[in-house]
Amino acid sequence: MEKVLEVNGLTKLFKNGRGIRDISFDVYQGEIFGFLGPNGAGKTTTMKIITGLSRADRGSVKIFGYDVLTRFEEAMRKVGCIIETVESYEFLSAAKNLEMALRYYPGLDKSRIHEVLELVGLDKYKNEKVGCFSLGMKQRLGLASAILSKPELVILDEPANGLDIEGTVDIRNIITRLAREQGITFFISSHMIHEMEITCDRIGIIEDGRIIRTGIVRELLDQYSSLEDYFITQVREDRGRIA
């Protein structure tokens, strides 16, 4: 399979001593790769470096073979992302928000707005102001914005964070459908182990700023009763080695 995302030796340390250390992993075309770890483990820091929002102390990132530092525009041309929070103009409708975003993609027709709203289940609410939306609806709109440009890689930081059960299931179903039906590659972070087990093809476990394991989910479930069992086992073993 073709490598879509290559992360090699990323290190970024903050003044308080926290950060990430020697993060390395690959994401392959068409898969859903889950970045699993507790809050504060370094998931968002890694994603910010990958998307050019922050700079590493050392290490490299390549997207579709292009180095993010030296060839940023080429690297990000086929990428859609949501890092940390979904941003939107609450005084505008869902359709108008996407119309504003569409200006950055002159090659796309306005029909794309209807298409993505339909994909995320918001088409019937397209003329409602975003300020009246629930958190789940705002997350769906954020996802619509992330896929507006017809990206081949979508990077989502905690896409189900703060959602109720129904909203979480909706976001999961949208991601899996886009991956299976349109071949979009997803790199998603989360601390929600059960969701990662259901959603992802492969996972990378990050703990205290370090990648401690990567694996294919279905193979892990052949050896462990659940992804939670695998996660706890690996974290305890890693802490035992450090101690």
Side-chain angles (χ1 to χ4, degrees), residues 40-64:
K43 300 188 299 295
T44 299
T45 297
T46 304
M47 286 183 149
K48 283 184 174 180
I49 294 170
I50 288 171
T51 54
L53 297 174
S54 182
R55 180 168 292 199
D57 298 333
R58 60 179 179 271
S60 66
V61 176
K62 288 183 179 180
I63 302 177
F64 300 108

Side-chain angles (χ1 to χ4, degrees), residues 47-55 61-79 81 83 155:
M47 286 183 149
K48 283 184 174 180
I49 294 170
I50 288 171
T51 54
L53 297 174
S54 182
R55 180 168 292 199
V61 176
K62 288 183 179 180
I63 302 177
F64 300 108
Y66 296 108
D67 189 285
V68 168
L69 270 182
T70 59
R71 303 187 68 177
F72 179 76
E73 289 187 11
E74 292 100 323
M76 296 300 293
R77 186 167 290 145
K78 299 177 183 178
V79 178
C81 64
I83 306 297
I155 299 171

Side-chain angles (χ1 to χ4, degrees), residues 9-236:
L10 284 191
T11 296
K12 184 176 180 65
L13 299 177
F14 299 101
K15 290 182 180 179
N16 60 8
R18 299 185 67 180
I20 58 173
R21 298 169 179 81
D22 199 29
I23 298 286
S24 297
F25 60 90
D26 299 321
V27 177
Y28 295 90
Q29 185 176 21
E31 73 175 352
I32 303 174
F33 184 92
F35 204 32
L36 175 63
N39 292 331
K43 300 188 299 295
T44 299
T45 297
T46 304
M47 286 183 149
K48 283 184 174 180
I49 294 170
I50 288 171
T51 54
L53 297 174
S54 182
R55 180 168 292 199
D57 298 333
R58 60 179 179 271
S60 66
V61 176
K62 288 183 179 180
I63 302 177
F64 300 108
Y66 296 108
D67 189 285
V68 168
L69 270 182
T70 59
R71 303 187 68 177
F72 179 76
E73 289 187 11
E74 292 100 323
M76 296 300 293
R77 186 167 290 145
K78 299 177 183 178
V79 178
C81 64
I82 302 174
I83 306 297
E84 292 192 304
T85 57
V86 175
E87 299 292 342
S88 56
Y89 297 104
E90 299 211 339
F91 57 90
L92 294 178
S93 68
K96 284 293 183 183
N97 265 276
L98 293 179
E99 198 174 311
M100 296 281 285
L102 196 70
R103 296 178 182 181
Y104 294 100
Y105 311 110
L108 291 178
D109 188 84
K110 276 190 177 182
S111 62
R112 179 62 179 167
I113 294 173
H114 166 73
E115 188 177 336
V116 295
L117 286 173
E118 194 168 44
L119 280 170
V120 302
L122 285 180
D123 193 48
K124 62 183 177 181
Y125 306 108
K126 63 184 179 183
N127 295 319
E128 291 188 18
K129 290 184 178 180
V130 175
C132 300
F133 279 13
S134 66
L135 179 57
M137 293 170 74
K138 288 178 180 178
Q139 289 287 83
R140 290 191 196 194
L141 181 61
L143 186 52
S145 181
I147 63 173
L148 184 64
S149 65
K150 299 183 178 181
E152 295 180 20
L153 169 65
V154 175
I155 299 171
L156 303 174
D157 185 18
E158 299 274 5
N161 196 29
L163 299 185
D164 59 18
I165 294 173
E166 186 176 7
T168 299
V169 171
D170 287 344
I171 292 296
R172 179 212 308 158
N173 289 340
I174 292 166
I175 290 171
T176 54
R177 189 172 74 249
L178 289 170
R180 305 305 176 231
E181 295 179 4
Q182 299 192 18
I184 297 174
T185 304
F186 282 88
F187 173 45
I188 59 177
S189 74
S190 182
H191 62 277
M192 300 166 67
I193 296 178
H194 180 63
E195 276 306 304
M196 299 295 251
E197 179 178 320
I198 296 173
T199 308
C200 298
D201 301 306
R202 282 197 308 127
I203 60 158
I205 295 176
I206 181 170
E207 164 75 0
D208 194 27
R210 297 175 300 110
I211 291 280
I212 60 174
R213 288 288 186 279
T214 61
I216 298 171
V217 173
R218 67 174 180 273
E219 292 180 359
L220 300 178
L221 294 178
D222 286 339
Q223 304 171 51
Y224 296 85
S225 60
S226 66
L227 191 57
E228 181 179 282
D229 183 29
Y230 173 75
F231 177 85
I232 295 299
T233 300
Q234 299 307 312
V235 168
R236 285 177 177 169

